[in-house]
Amino acid sequence: MLTEAQFAIVAQEAKQRIGLALTHERLAFVDARLTPLARRENCACAGELISMIQRQGDDMLWHGVVDALVMSDTHFFRDRAQFRALSETIIPDLLRGRPAHARLRVWSAGCAAGQEPYSLAILLEEMREEGRGGLVDILATDISSRLLDKAASGLFSQFEVQRGLSIRRLIAHFERVGEMWRIADRLRAAVRFETHNLLVDAAQLGPFDLVLCRNVLSSFGEADRRETLERIAAAMSEDGVLVLGAEEDYASLTGAFEPAHGACVMRRNAYWRRAA
Ligand SMILES: C[S@@+](CC[C@H](N)C(=O)[O-])C[C@H]1O[C@@H](n2cnc3c(N)ncnc32)[C@H](O)[C@@H]1O
């Protein structure tokens, strides 16, 4: 079992490296998450693993520790009402404000194993089939290269496709590969995956017209939340829209956004400038 002192060190690394805020009550959770990694590294327990890393000062192992702690639960079309709003109002509004040949630039920030950006790609394809879509580029990023490798493979288990996909969408957009399901190549090609840490500047990735950063900031402390929101704003077009998780209402943290389409959907404040 991790000691209190070891937990404090892990919590500090997790906060510094990825913004993950771990309070004291999470000790048992952290211990359970690190035990498999400890076994792979031939340590008897998580405590022994942390002692070894401290002795060796091994940055790669710290990387593994933090990767084991990320909260990555997700599913296709998570929060259906948000996808409905994207299809019925948010994306049509953004398209209306742009020339017909312009490409809408979309960023799925904290995309986990890809269900969110692939849901977007499916939605946008369906909108195009209904004559309501435009040209779109989707960038999907995450801190975890383990999750991004899975996302880029486009392969999902039966359990994963059952979470959020209707049979109609499963048949239309996936093919069976042994025990797994693979998303159609055209949809896989529609999403570009890249590693990106939301704690560092994102301006060079943008500008984006639409950003989904859902269920990521809830694991951050308040200062990291605010600064991340401002980094996202700096990577957005002046009328860009940011969609947070359905339970995430952070509009009051910064002047960079104003509420639009409900509390967890915000429009970039066109007058906001990032402090130098
Ligand atoms: C709970 S998942 C959310 C997935 C999806 N957006 C959704 O709403 O279902 C949170 C994701 O945020 C990623 N994440 C956590 N901290 C991050 C950081 N500092 N930079 C980039 N991604 C991060 C995690 O790796 C994880 O994949």
Side-chain angles (χ1 to χ4, degrees):
M1 189 69 157
L2 287 173
T3 63
E4 297 279 345
Q6 287 172 325
F7 172 77
I9 291 164
V10 173
Q12 190 188 357
E13 290 289 332
K15 182 165 185 325
Q16 261 171 18
R17 288 172 184 253
I18 65 165
L20 176 62
L22 290 167
T23 50
H24 180 75
E25 309 81 70
R26 307 291 276 171
L27 195 150
F29 159 83
V30 169
D31 192 81
R33 281 284 184 100
L34 295 187
T35 300
L37 177 61
R39 299 268 152 79
R40 281 202 298 281
E41 295 300 324
N42 296 318
C43 297
C45 63
E48 195 178 309
L49 173 73
I50 299 305
S51 303
M52 183 182 87
I53 301 176
Q54 283 186 288
R55 258 194 328 275
Q56 298 178 351
D58 188 332
D59 199 60
M60 274 313 285
L61 273 178
W62 271 127
H63 190 78
V65 164
V66 170
D67 190 52
L69 297 177
V70 293
M71 323 282 179
S72 57
D73 187 47
T74 185
H75 56 88
F76 288 98
F77 292 92
R78 182 176 189 174
D79 294 319
R80 282 185 172 273
Q82 290 195 326
F83 280 93
R84 205 170 316 115
L86 282 164
S87 164
E88 289 173 4
T89 47
I90 299 171
I91 294 173
D93 281 359
L94 284 168
L95 287 172
R96 239 190 315 280
R98 284 160 174 74
H101 60 273
R103 295 186 89 86
L104 203 65
R105 297 198 57 189
V106 181
W107 180 20
S108 165
C111 66
Q115 286 91 331
E116 177 179 278
Y118 286 138
S119 300
L120 264 174
I122 292 171
L123 187 83
L124 288 157
E125 183 175 281
E126 291 173 352
M127 289 178 70
R128 272 194 303 278
E129 283 166 6
E130 293 162 10
R132 302 189 296 122
L135 299 167
V136 179
D137 284 328
I138 305 175
L139 174 69
T141 65
D142 201 277
I143 187 69
S144 169
S145 42
R146 168 180 57 88
L147 292 169
L148 287 171
D149 286 348
K150 174 167 165 53
S153 77
L155 281 168
F156 296 94
S157 67
Q158 181 71 38
F159 174 71
E160 288 167 328
V161 296
Q162 271 168 357
R163 293 182 73 201
L165 281 176
S166 62
I167 296 285
R168 183 183 62 75
R169 281 182 167 148
L170 180 61
I171 302 294
H173 304 298
F174 289 75
E175 62 170 350
R176 190 99 216 207
V177 182
E179 305 263 282
M180 306 289 279
W181 291 89
R182 183 164 51 218
I183 193 154
D185 286 346
R186 62 177 194 287
L187 292 167
R188 197 143 54 99
V191 182
R192 195 158 47 88
F193 290 99
E194 272 180 32
T195 313
H196 175 74
N197 187 346
L198 286 165
L199 296 191
V200 303
D201 244 30
Q204 76 289 354
L205 300 176
F208 297 101
D209 306 303
L210 173 63
V211 179
L212 272 67
C213 184
R214 304 185 313 149
N215 308 298
V216 182
L217 300 181
S218 49
S219 68
F220 287 17
E222 190 166 305
D224 281 329
R225 230 174 247 163
R226 183 181 54 255
E227 286 159 22
T228 302
L229 284 170
E230 296 187 348
R231 277 188 289 272
I232 291 174
M236 290 176 70
S237 52
E238 288 208 341
D239 65 341
V241 172
L242 168 65
V243 181
L244 299 172
E247 312 287 315
E248 298 176 317
D249 176 3
Y250 302 139
S252 60
L253 286 183
T254 168
F257 293 96
E258 48 206 28
H261 308 280
C264 53
V265 180
M266 306 198 285
R267 189 172 296 282
R268 163 90 146 78
N269 175 353
Y271 299 104
W272 174 82
R273 293 288 170 268
R274 201 167 171 201

